[in-house]
Amino acid sequence: MTAARTATAPPPAPVPAAAPFARAEALDAALGDPWQPDNPYGFAAGAARDAAETYPAAAEARLRAEGFHLCHLPESLGGTLRSFEDTHVLVRVCARRDVNVMPATMFSISAVMTVLAAGTAEQHRRVAGWLRDGRTVAFGLSEEQAGSDVLANSCRLDEDGGLTGVKWLVGRGASADAAVVVARTAQRGPAAFTALLLGPEELADDRVRRLPARRTTGMRGIDFADLEFDGLAVPPGAVVGETGSGLAGALRAQQIVRLMSTAGCLATADTALRTALRFTREHRTGGERVADTPYGSRELALAAAELIATDVTVLAAARLVHVAPESFGLCSSVVKHVATRLTAACATRSRALTGARGVLREGRGAVLDKAVRDNAMVAVIDTSVLGNLRAIAMHLPAYSAVCGGEPGGAAHEDGAAAADRERRLTTVFAFGDAEALPGVEPAALDLGVRPKDDILLGFAGHADAIAAELGHRGEARAAALVREVHRTLGGAVREAASAQRDRARSLKASPELLDLADRACLLYAAATAALTWWFHRDGAGLYGDRTPGGAGWLTAVLGLLTTLVDGREPRSAGPDAAPAGRLITELDAAHRLFTALPVRLSDGTAHRAGPDDVEDDER
């Protein structure tokens, strides 16, 4: 029996009775219109701080007064975390003004999640107390000489309890009140590392040296500093979890950190695209608005498609981590790679639309330049691009049977397992419904590579039905793209399985598996988009689409992603992307965040032309 006949139609995603993002909207309103030049929490103020490389002290104080720094701490520990979807939106509405508010207020997330994933209940309460008191907990994992190879780290805790070594580019390293440090406690292997919880007393010890902050291209004004330990006496109770479990705990925690870091990716892309939209609507060339020219409209549409593709992937991931934390490992790596790649393209494309003004260090040019540079910083803060692709490559072969059409795949799956997954997927794609989500369980995060990711398995089971339904509704192009994604995904995982068995094509001998991982990330995003449409096909249109179950945004996303998978120039996806440009333009006019969720912003209803909004035919 084919997947098209066995796939059951899920009920429409439930619509929550109350506005789920009132907290984000209220905070955005309290911070005021970011386009006002005299707003201390606006774009101009952020660009000025960037130029001076100063810390956002006033913004930090205001956000802490609002409790923003507790948005990633579970409610059971005195925080305000209800769902990572809700927190993600909250962070985006703040970080779009200046992404530096993220390190200023929530760089403790890596350390806190490591403790929650591997520590004792007492350690949970301890770090939670520090956060509630407004303290910052740094996280020390990376070392300069080891790079992305954490197994080569040399910072060591000796048998006498002395900590010696240097942790590199520690976020808030020069100013943090406490820290979690992952140190070597054995000679070799993943179990050779232990996480240590160092409090204010330990960091104040003379045997701890905070080196001067490194200057960075993005997130200027934030202290990324090395921490040097010279035989620091570490109390026995500082060990987080079991000796030798530090790396595993840290890597599990990084699954959540990677997810939350994408709020910075989307925030910077939102600002860049919103700035470009204003410029192209107000500026004329040859008597025609730039936004209405063939080139301008195509580039805006492609940038919009890049942002929407990222948004829909992130929204699903922010709910999946609650619903199936034990299988979140692949998704967390994918969402990080997709978000950094696509939002970087969106931000760069947006800046290019402003022509010469995009290189000015004032006005909109300064806002755009900061957004592009900050976006690049987010890409490398919590992971290595190479290390992330390696992790993804290791997952892919396990899906060759289910997604690649091999014997023993989806057709032979146990019915109860399929029904359970269907229930989980219904919850994952019920965007905006926090009540449907179980609480977050960092300790349940897993590092395994078993074939159990709900998004991939769900798409394999529903792809034929999705394509058939799209065709029935007259969406022939979207239907064809879904079939293409299904076919190409199967080919990618089969090739990954074949390459892993061949020494000449292995990670040590060839970049082929990394290239397949890159393609698989784009296909995963495409699968997420298709499932999103499927679970919302009978509800209100997404991204402001006035047509119930509208598929314009889906065509735009799938057209872009399949073009990138094929290695073609993104501009060849221009015709498919056109609906995304219209939808994003309407969202901006309605003062809404660039997301599938109905989040209102405080941006003014009218924008007065500035000195750089003059006609210029030389573009």
Side-chain angles (χ1 to χ4, degrees):
M1 187 175 290
T2 66
R5 291 198 295 271
T6 58
T8 57
V15 179
F21 302 106
R23 186 164 57 128
E25 293 180 346
L27 181 55
D28 191 68
L31 296 176
D33 184 351
W35 297 99
Q36 293 300 316
D38 58 347
N39 184 350
Y41 315 117
F43 297 129
R49 288 192 298 269
D50 177 77
E53 299 190 32
T54 56
Y55 185 80
E60 177 193 31
R62 177 61 185 271
L63 290 175
R64 286 188 182 277
E66 299 283 350
F68 179 81
H69 61 298
L70 300 177
C71 68
H72 59 281
L73 184 67
E75 290 180 326
S76 60
L77 291 171
T80 60
L81 172 64
R82 293 185 61 224
S83 77
F84 279 111
E85 179 188 42
D86 184 62
T87 292
H88 209 280
V89 170
L90 188 72
V91 174
R92 283 172 66 177
V93 300
C94 294
R96 73 188 182 99
R97 299 161 178 273
D98 182 356
V99 80
N100 282 10
V101 303
M102 291 180 69
T105 56
M106 59 181 299
F107 252 25
S108 301
I109 188 171
S110 294
V112 170
M113 287 301 159
T114 298
V115 173
L116 296 185
T120 65
E122 173 56 34
Q123 289 171 332
H124 295 179
R125 290 189 291 270
R126 189 180 183 194
V127 295
W130 289 338
L131 255 63
R132 293 196 305 271
D133 291 341
R135 297 185 176 187
T136 299
V137 188
F139 180 66
L141 174 63
S142 299
E143 298 178 19
E144 186 172 12
Q145 82 288 348
S148 62
D149 183 10
V150 294
L151 294 181
N153 282 357
S154 61
C155 182
R156 174 180 296 275
L157 180 70
D158 60 35
E159 294 180 355
D160 297 327
L163 179 64
T164 301
V166 180
K167 289 298 176 180
W168 182 55
L169 284 181
V170 177
R172 300 295 307 277
S175 56
D177 304 288
V180 169
V181 174
V182 180
R184 180 178 289 279
T185 50
Q187 288 300 315
R188 61 177 61 87
F193 299 91
T194 300
L196 308 171
L197 180 58
L198 307 179
E201 300 82 5
E202 285 78 40
L203 288 194
D205 194 288
D206 290 340
R207 288 164 290 187
V208 178
R209 182 184 174 204
R210 303 181 193 234
L211 303 181
R214 305 283 188 115
R215 298 185 70 188
T216 56
T217 56
M219 291 190 179
R220 295 174 177 174
I222 299 299
D223 52 309
F224 291 92
D226 297 358
L227 290 180
E228 183 177 33
F229 304 97
D230 185 15
L232 172 69
V234 176
V239 173
V240 177
E242 300 292 332
T243 298
S245 68
L247 187 57
L251 293 180
R252 294 205 307 275
Q254 287 302 297
Q255 293 178 17
I256 290 176
V257 176
R258 283 193 291 267
L259 165 66
M260 286 309 302
S261 74
T262 62
C265 297
L266 282 162
T268 50
D270 185 297
T271 295
L273 181 52
R274 211 173 289 271
T275 304
L277 280 168
R278 278 159 172 70
F279 176 84
T280 57
R281 286 200 301 266
E282 296 160 358
H283 188 81
R284 293 180 179 273
T285 178
E288 185 176 20
R289 295 193 316 170
V290 174
D292 296 331
T293 64
Y295 174 81
S297 62
R298 184 195 69 189
E299 293 301 296
L300 286 171
L302 288 173
E306 288 160 345
L307 196 153
I308 291 175
T310 304
D311 176 73
V312 74
T313 309
V314 168
L315 288 179
R319 297 179 65 87
L320 184 64
V321 69
H322 288 265
V323 175
E326 69 283 351
S327 62
F328 189 63
L330 174 61
C331 181
S332 75
S333 293
V334 167
V335 76
K336 175 71 175 186
H337 186 74
V338 167
T340 54
R341 177 174 175 176
L342 295 185
T343 61
C346 173
T348 302
R349 193 182 306 280
S350 298
R351 180 170 65 173
L353 277 165
T354 65
R357 289 167 182 80
V359 300
L360 296 179
R361 296 185 62 180
E362 58 187 21
R364 289 175 177 166
V367 174
L368 282 163
D369 182 55
K370 174 174 167 54
V372 171
R373 288 184 287 101
D374 287 346
N375 182 281
M377 279 292 295
V378 178
V380 299
I381 281 179
D382 56 72
T383 191
S384 152
V385 176
L386 177 59
N388 203 30
L389 284 175
R390 283 174 177 163
I392 294 165
M394 298 306 295
H395 279 268
L396 297 183
Y399 292 86
S400 60
V402 177
C403 299
E406 295 181 3
H412 296 84
E413 185 180 37
D414 176 76
D420 286 342
R421 183 175 64 248
E422 194 69 16
R423 284 191 289 270
R424 292 193 299 272
L425 287 173
T426 300
T427 302
V428 166
F429 290 101
F431 293 165
D433 186 359
E435 299 302 321
L437 293 173
V440 63
E441 296 184 39
L445 297 165
D446 191 89
L447 301 177
V449 296
R450 291 170 289 172
K452 56 187 179 180
D453 179 88
D454 284 336
I455 302 292
L456 287 183
L457 299 186
F459 178 71
H462 285 303
D464 291 343
I466 295 171
E469 181 64 19
L470 284 165
H472 177 71
R473 298 186 182 202
E475 300 285 355
R477 178 57 177 161
L481 289 168
V482 169
R483 294 188 184 98
E484 181 180 348
V485 171
H486 192 199
R487 174 183 55 78
T488 309
L489 177 61
V493 294
R494 286 195 301 271
E495 281 301 308
S498 175
Q500 194 177 66
R501 294 190 296 266
D502 186 346
R503 286 187 178 183
R505 302 166 68 192
S506 68
L507 285 171
K508 290 185 177 181
S510 168
E512 182 182 0
L513 268 171
L514 299 180
D515 295 339
L516 285 168
D518 177 61
R519 296 179 70 211
C521 287
L522 299 171
L523 291 165
Y524 188 108
T528 304
L531 286 171
T532 299
W533 180 85
W534 176 252
F535 281 89
H536 289 264
R537 68 193 184 280
D538 295 324
L542 298 180
Y543 296 99
D545 194 330
R546 296 182 179 86
T547 304
W553 69 269
L554 178 63
T555 300
V557 167
L558 297 186
L560 170 71
L561 294 174
T562 54
T563 296
L564 295 174
V565 167
D566 290 344
R568 290 177 285 143
E569 283 289 337
R571 62 175 177 264
S572 63
D576 286 330
R582 291 192 294 271
L583 291 172
I584 286 291
T585 299
E586 291 173 3
L587 286 177
D588 182 50
H591 310 297
R592 281 178 50 181
L593 191 67
F594 290 158
T595 177
L597 305 165
V599 181
R600 295 168 298 178
L601 300 177
S602 62
D603 301 44
T605 56
H607 174 67
R608 291 173 295 181
D612 59 356
D613 299 327
V614 295
E615 186 169 339
D616 181 3
D617 290 321
E618 297 181 7
R619 292 190 52 77

